[in-house]
Short mmCIF file of all heavy atoms in Angstrom, two decimals:
data_model
loop_
_atom_site.label_atom_id
_atom_site.label_comp_id
_atom_site.label_asym_id
_atom_site.label_seq_id
_atom_site.Cartn_x
_atom_site.Cartn_y
_atom_site.Cartn_z
N PRO H 303 -165.02 -53.40 -109.18
CA PRO H 303 -165.39 -54.15 -110.34
C PRO H 303 -166.72 -54.84 -110.26
O PRO H 303 -167.30 -55.15 -109.26
CB PRO H 303 -164.26 -55.17 -110.44
CG PRO H 303 -163.25 -54.57 -109.73
CD PRO H 303 -163.75 -53.84 -108.63
N TYR H 304 -167.25 -55.16 -111.45
CA TYR H 304 -168.46 -55.98 -111.58
C TYR H 304 -168.27 -57.13 -110.70
O TYR H 304 -167.26 -57.77 -110.74
CB TYR H 304 -168.80 -56.25 -112.95
CG TYR H 304 -169.41 -55.23 -113.83
CD1 TYR H 304 -168.79 -54.81 -115.00
CD2 TYR H 304 -170.49 -54.60 -113.43
CE1 TYR H 304 -169.25 -53.90 -115.87
CE2 TYR H 304 -171.12 -53.55 -114.34
CZ TYR H 304 -170.41 -53.26 -115.51
OH TYR H 304 -170.95 -52.22 -116.31
N GLU H 305 -169.42 -57.65 -110.10
CA GLU H 305 -169.31 -58.84 -109.33
C GLU H 305 -168.80 -60.06 -109.98
O GLU H 305 -167.98 -60.79 -109.46
CB GLU H 305 -170.70 -59.21 -108.74
CG GLU H 305 -170.75 -60.48 -107.97
CD GLU H 305 -169.98 -60.26 -106.63
OE1 GLU H 305 -169.62 -59.19 -106.25
OE2 GLU H 305 -169.60 -61.47 -105.99
N ILE H 306 -169.04 -60.24 -111.27
CA ILE H 306 -168.60 -61.43 -112.02
C ILE H 306 -167.05 -61.28 -112.18
O ILE H 306 -166.38 -62.31 -112.30
CB ILE H 306 -169.20 -61.50 -113.50
CG1 ILE H 306 -168.88 -62.80 -114.14
CG2 ILE H 306 -168.83 -60.36 -114.28
CD1 ILE H 306 -169.66 -63.06 -115.40
N ASP H 307 -166.56 -60.15 -112.16
CA ASP H 307 -165.04 -59.98 -112.19
C ASP H 307 -164.47 -59.80 -110.83
O ASP H 307 -163.38 -60.44 -110.53
CB ASP H 307 -164.64 -58.65 -112.97
CG ASP H 307 -165.33 -58.69 -114.34
OD1 ASP H 307 -165.26 -59.77 -115.03
OD2 ASP H 307 -165.84 -57.57 -114.77
N ARG H 308 -165.15 -59.24 -109.84
CA ARG H 308 -164.72 -59.00 -108.56
C ARG H 308 -164.52 -60.42 -107.81
O ARG H 308 -163.55 -60.51 -107.07
CB ARG H 308 -165.76 -58.24 -107.78
CG ARG H 308 -165.25 -57.80 -106.26
CD ARG H 308 -166.37 -57.77 -105.29
NE ARG H 308 -166.95 -59.00 -105.16
CZ ARG H 308 -166.52 -59.93 -104.24
NH1 ARG H 308 -165.42 -59.63 -103.53
NH2 ARG H 308 -167.10 -60.94 -104.04
N ARG H 309 -165.39 -61.43 -108.12
CA ARG H 309 -165.24 -62.63 -107.41
C ARG H 309 -163.93 -63.33 -107.70
O ARG H 309 -163.45 -64.19 -106.97
CB ARG H 309 -166.35 -63.57 -107.89
CG ARG H 309 -166.41 -63.96 -109.35
CD ARG H 309 -167.76 -64.72 -109.68
NE ARG H 309 -167.66 -65.15 -111.08
CZ ARG H 309 -168.65 -65.79 -111.68
NH1 ARG H 309 -169.68 -66.14 -111.00
NH2 ARG H 309 -168.50 -66.28 -112.86
N ASN H 310 -163.29 -63.02 -108.80
CA ASN H 310 -161.98 -63.46 -109.16
C ASN H 310 -160.88 -62.68 -108.54
O ASN H 310 -159.67 -63.02 -108.76
CB ASN H 310 -161.83 -63.60 -110.71
CG ASN H 310 -162.70 -64.48 -111.26
OD1 ASN H 310 -162.92 -65.67 -110.80
ND2 ASN H 310 -163.44 -64.12 -112.31
N ASP H 357 -174.90 -55.04 -121.15
CA ASP H 357 -174.24 -56.33 -120.86
C ASP H 357 -175.06 -57.18 -119.94
O ASP H 357 -175.04 -57.01 -118.76
CB ASP H 357 -172.76 -56.02 -120.09
CG ASP H 357 -171.93 -57.24 -119.90
OD1 ASP H 357 -172.44 -58.40 -119.98
OD2 ASP H 357 -170.81 -57.12 -119.59
N VAL H 359 -174.51 -60.27 -119.06
CA VAL H 359 -173.78 -61.11 -118.21
C VAL H 359 -173.51 -60.34 -116.78
O VAL H 359 -173.67 -60.81 -115.70
CB VAL H 359 -172.38 -61.57 -118.82
CG1 VAL H 359 -171.52 -62.39 -117.75
CG2 VAL H 359 -172.69 -62.47 -119.96
N ALA H 360 -172.94 -59.16 -117.06
CA ALA H 360 -172.73 -58.41 -115.80
C ALA H 360 -173.95 -58.07 -115.04
O ALA H 360 -174.06 -57.99 -113.83
CB ALA H 360 -172.00 -56.92 -116.26
N HIS H 363 -175.30 -60.92 -112.69
CA HIS H 363 -174.53 -61.19 -111.56
C HIS H 363 -174.64 -59.97 -110.60
O HIS H 363 -174.47 -60.16 -109.41
CB HIS H 363 -173.01 -61.44 -111.98
CG HIS H 363 -172.84 -62.76 -112.57
ND1 HIS H 363 -172.68 -63.93 -111.83
CD2 HIS H 363 -172.82 -63.14 -113.81
CE1 HIS H 363 -172.44 -65.01 -112.55
NE2 HIS H 363 -172.59 -64.63 -113.88
N GLU H 364 -174.78 -58.68 -111.11
CA GLU H 364 -175.07 -57.55 -110.26
C GLU H 364 -176.36 -57.85 -109.49
O GLU H 364 -176.49 -57.44 -108.27
CB GLU H 364 -174.96 -56.31 -110.97
CG GLU H 364 -173.57 -55.93 -111.46
CD GLU H 364 -172.61 -55.76 -110.35
OE1 GLU H 364 -172.86 -54.92 -109.42
OE2 GLU H 364 -171.55 -56.47 -110.42
N LEU H 419 -175.65 -67.03 -121.20
CA LEU H 419 -174.91 -66.18 -120.28
C LEU H 419 -174.18 -66.98 -119.25
O LEU H 419 -173.22 -66.49 -118.69
CB LEU H 419 -176.06 -65.28 -119.45
CG LEU H 419 -177.04 -64.50 -120.30
CD1 LEU H 419 -177.99 -63.71 -119.49
CD2 LEU H 419 -176.31 -63.64 -121.40
N ALA H 422 -170.38 -67.42 -119.85
CA ALA H 422 -169.38 -66.29 -119.70
C ALA H 422 -168.69 -66.34 -118.38
O ALA H 422 -169.32 -66.66 -117.35
CB ALA H 422 -170.01 -65.00 -119.97
N SER H 423 -167.47 -65.98 -118.29
CA SER H 423 -166.64 -65.95 -116.96
C SER H 423 -166.36 -64.50 -116.63
O SER H 423 -165.88 -64.14 -115.54
CB SER H 423 -165.49 -66.74 -117.12
OG SER H 423 -164.67 -66.30 -118.20
N HIS H 424 -166.54 -63.47 -117.60
CA HIS H 424 -166.30 -62.21 -117.47
C HIS H 424 -167.19 -61.18 -118.03
O HIS H 424 -167.96 -61.59 -118.90
CB HIS H 424 -164.70 -61.83 -117.86
CG HIS H 424 -163.65 -62.39 -116.95
ND1 HIS H 424 -163.37 -61.98 -115.75
CD2 HIS H 424 -162.87 -63.48 -117.27
CE1 HIS H 424 -162.34 -62.71 -115.19
NE2 HIS H 424 -162.06 -63.59 -116.21
N SER H 425 -167.17 -59.85 -117.51
CA SER H 425 -167.97 -58.94 -118.15
C SER H 425 -167.33 -58.41 -119.43
O SER H 425 -166.14 -58.55 -119.76
CB SER H 425 -168.11 -57.62 -117.18
OG SER H 425 -166.93 -57.02 -117.07
N ALA H 426 -168.26 -57.81 -120.26
CA ALA H 426 -167.73 -57.18 -121.52
C ALA H 426 -166.68 -56.17 -121.21
O ALA H 426 -165.61 -55.95 -121.96
CB ALA H 426 -168.77 -56.71 -122.37
N GLY H 474 -163.63 -65.90 -122.23
CA GLY H 474 -164.32 -64.91 -121.49
C GLY H 474 -165.80 -64.91 -121.65
O GLY H 474 -166.60 -64.68 -120.62
#
Side-chain angles (χ1 to χ4, degrees):
Y304 285 124
E305 179 61 19
I306 189 173
D307 304 320
R308 188 212 64 83
R309 64 186 184 180
N310 297 315
D357 186 345
V359 175
H363 287 281
E364 288 301 303
L419 308 184
S423 59
H424 286 291
S425 68

